[in-house]
Amino acid sequence: MKNILLLVLLSLSASGWAVDIKTLNPVETIEVKPEGFKSSLKYNVTLPQNYQQGQGKRYFVLFDLHPRIQPLISGMHDWLSHNGEWPWLKTIVVTPAGYNAEFAAELENLVADPSNQRLLDIIEHGVLKQVDKKYRTNGFRIYSGFMSNGAIGLYALLNRPSMFDAYFISSPTLNNDFGRVLSDAPTKLMAEYDKMKFLYMTIGDHNYEKAHVASFKEFEGALSKHNNSQLTWHSNNQDEHYYMSRPVVTILEGIETLFNDIHEDLAPDSEISKRGVDAIIAYYNDLSKHKYGFEISAEGSLKSLAKSIATRSPSEAMAIYTKVTELYPDSAYAHASLAKALAEQGKIEQAIQVQSVAVEKSKFMNPWHQNKHQQYLDEYKSRLKP
């Protein structure tokens, strides 16, 4: 029993479990001094683990206005992204280092006069601009907000949608028509965006939330009535959670829903896949260009389609597997799938040739994947007739 436990611990260590906890979430600080402010605004910038080693990689930005949420978001992010960036792709997290009375006054000014967008100016042209200048960001920004900060997020979506690409909004305080969000929704929701937007918003029935449920549902109704094809939105006012659990659950569900089209392949019987290879490729090109701003791979969905037709149309399936290797020549698994298809048709020598390419492509992957591809190659070689 002790030997088994030791093996488990060694396995966990090899997979990255044994790591200096202080290196998981390196935090740096930036300062922004808006015009007229007596003191600078300080923001914590939490970087992904190994940020300094990945010089060619660029990252999402997640912004939240609550200082105390930094440990929560950074911890969730590290846990959900460390095992192959699933379901959370590596992200830079930006949060205030502390309370600032001058910035809080700008929120009061916005409430008093919804046309006063200085708070948004400070965030966009001060904080976010400096983050983009100092760090390797990829242009995709996520806003996270709870209660009044959630209401600010909806205000930003209506009044300056280009600031953020996705919004996770928890229990927004929209009562009394905060920032004219409810009044302006019917017209401003129909604005033409720079690219596709995503909204995930939630509320419960805790005493602190009840006063805002009706206004939440009113905004929800505006989203339904004034449907904008460029805005993908999800709303939940049914889940029972404690009040302070709301942002935790919302961020988790928001991340899983936002990135689902990256991590979840299209089903072979989906409307898009039924239209064939070109339709799948077009769908992922559209995601890449209009939603994320960088390439989203169609590899998994194409291979799923090929696998579904392999029995009834092996030549067509083979053509798809070959197409995948052409589209993603550096993917070890693209070549491995083609090799497997060849082997299943009894073309062992060809399978060996293709799997040898997969082994070569896997050299930059972690040892588990390298070993897997070598095992496939060894298996095919063992099937050659002497």
Side-chain angles (χ1 to χ4, degrees):
M1 184 67 182
K2 289 182 179 179
N3 289 336
I4 293 175
L5 179 59
L6 178 61
L7 287 173
V8 171
L9 291 174
L10 289 173
S11 174
L12 289 171
S13 299
S15 66
W17 180 73
V19 67
D20 182 355
I21 198 72
K22 297 187 295 296
T23 68
L24 294 181
N25 305 300
V27 180
E28 298 184 357
T29 302
I30 61 171
E31 293 190 19
V32 174
K33 190 173 183 181
E35 184 178 352
F37 273 37
K38 295 179 181 179
S39 60
S40 296
L41 298 172
K42 293 183 179 180
Y43 279 79
N44 287 326
V45 179
T46 307
L47 301 173
Q49 186 186 19
N50 299 325
Y51 172 85
Q52 300 300 344
Q53 282 72 51
Q55 294 301 318
K57 184 175 176 60
R58 294 188 173 272
Y59 300 86
F60 292 85
V61 169
L62 185 145
F63 177 86
D64 194 294
L65 278 170
H66 202 299
R68 297 189 71 154
I69 206 164
Q70 187 275 342
L72 166 68
I73 295 179
S74 62
M76 288 177 65
H77 167 257
D78 180 74
W79 176 253
L80 295 174
S81 67
H82 82 279
N83 193 16
E85 295 193 78
W86 190 95
W88 196 335
L89 277 70
K90 294 289 187 182
T91 301
I92 295 171
V93 177
V94 182
T95 52
Y99 173 82
N100 184 285
E102 292 177 287
F103 185 81
E106 293 299 339
L107 173 57
E108 295 176 4
N109 293 336
L110 186 156
V111 172
D113 177 12
S115 66
N116 183 344
Q117 296 187 14
R118 188 154 190 258
L119 183 143
L120 298 188
D121 290 336
I122 293 170
I123 296 172
E124 181 177 21
H125 303 304
V127 183
L128 296 177
K129 184 177 181 180
Q130 189 170 147
V131 170
D132 286 340
K133 183 178 180 180
K134 187 173 181 180
Y135 301 98
R136 301 192 308 277
T137 61
N138 64 17
F140 193 98
R141 298 171 178 165
I142 304 169
Y143 181 97
S144 168
F146 179 46
M147 298 298 284
S148 59
N149 293 336
I152 292 171
L154 295 179
Y155 176 83
L157 171 64
L158 294 185
N159 291 279
R160 204 172 298 184
S162 60
M163 279 181 65
F164 297 96
D165 301 282
Y167 301 78
F168 304 152
I169 307 299
S170 315
S171 309
T173 55
L174 295 178
N175 200 16
N176 300 318
D177 200 11
F178 173 94
R180 287 187 54 84
V181 167
L182 298 178
S183 298
D184 290 342
T187 54
K188 292 186 176 181
L189 280 173
M190 297 308 297
E192 184 175 344
Y193 300 143
D194 55 324
K195 56 182 178 179
M196 294 177 66
K197 304 297 174 182
F198 175 93
L199 169 64
Y200 192 95
M201 62 179 197
T202 66
I203 200 167
D205 62 355
H206 185 276
N207 287 337
Y208 293 154
E209 298 171 295
K210 283 182 177 178
H212 305 283
V213 171
S215 55
F216 179 95
K217 291 184 177 180
E218 183 177 344
F219 187 77
E220 187 179 51
L223 287 165
S224 297
K225 184 176 181 180
H226 306 283
N227 184 41
N228 187 329
S229 61
Q230 290 183 292
L231 174 63
T232 299
W233 64 275
H234 304 265
S235 175
N236 193 332
N237 55 37
Q238 301 297 322
D239 282 355
E240 295 183 3
H241 293 285
Y242 287 102
Y243 165 68
M244 292 304 292
S245 301
R246 185 69 51 192
V248 181
V249 176
T250 301
I251 292 171
L252 173 61
E253 293 178 342
I255 285 293
E256 290 183 343
T257 308
L258 170 62
F259 294 139
N260 186 60
D261 49 23
I262 292 179
H263 298 300
E264 187 73 19
D265 296 332
L266 293 171
D269 60 352
S270 67
E271 180 184 349
I272 295 171
S273 294
K274 285 180 178 178
R275 299 203 304 267
V277 170
D278 290 343
I280 293 174
I281 294 173
Y283 169 76
Y284 283 97
N285 284 342
D286 196 51
L287 282 182
S288 302
K289 182 177 180 180
H290 299 297
K291 181 176 180 179
Y292 292 107
F294 55 89
E295 184 181 354
I296 306 301
S297 175
E299 179 181 338
S301 295
L302 289 170
K303 292 194 299 188
S304 180
L305 176 62
K307 183 177 180 180
S308 72
I309 63 173
T311 301
R312 73 171 187 273
S313 183
S315 60
E316 186 179 353
M318 189 67 70
I320 296 175
Y321 284 124
T322 302
K323 179 73 172 180
V324 173
T325 62
E326 294 169 352
L327 290 172
Y328 308 104
D330 293 325
S331 169
Y333 280 101
H335 293 281
S337 295
L338 175 58
K340 183 179 179 181
L342 289 165
E344 288 174 348
Q345 292 187 14
K347 301 175 181 178
I348 304 301
E349 291 187 358
Q350 289 178 256
I352 290 172
Q353 292 176 355
V354 175
Q355 187 59 37
S356 296
V357 176
V359 169
E360 182 65 27
K361 300 294 183 181
S362 72
K363 286 185 176 180
F364 297 102
M365 304 175 76
N366 70 41
W368 188 91
H369 294 285
Q370 293 181 41
N371 293 336
K372 200 70 176 174
H373 286 292
Q374 186 62 51
Q375 288 173 13
Y376 293 149
L377 180 57
D378 293 342
E379 177 190 342
Y380 299 148
K381 287 181 177 179
S382 70
R383 292 167 61 180
L384 275 177
K385 293 180 181 179

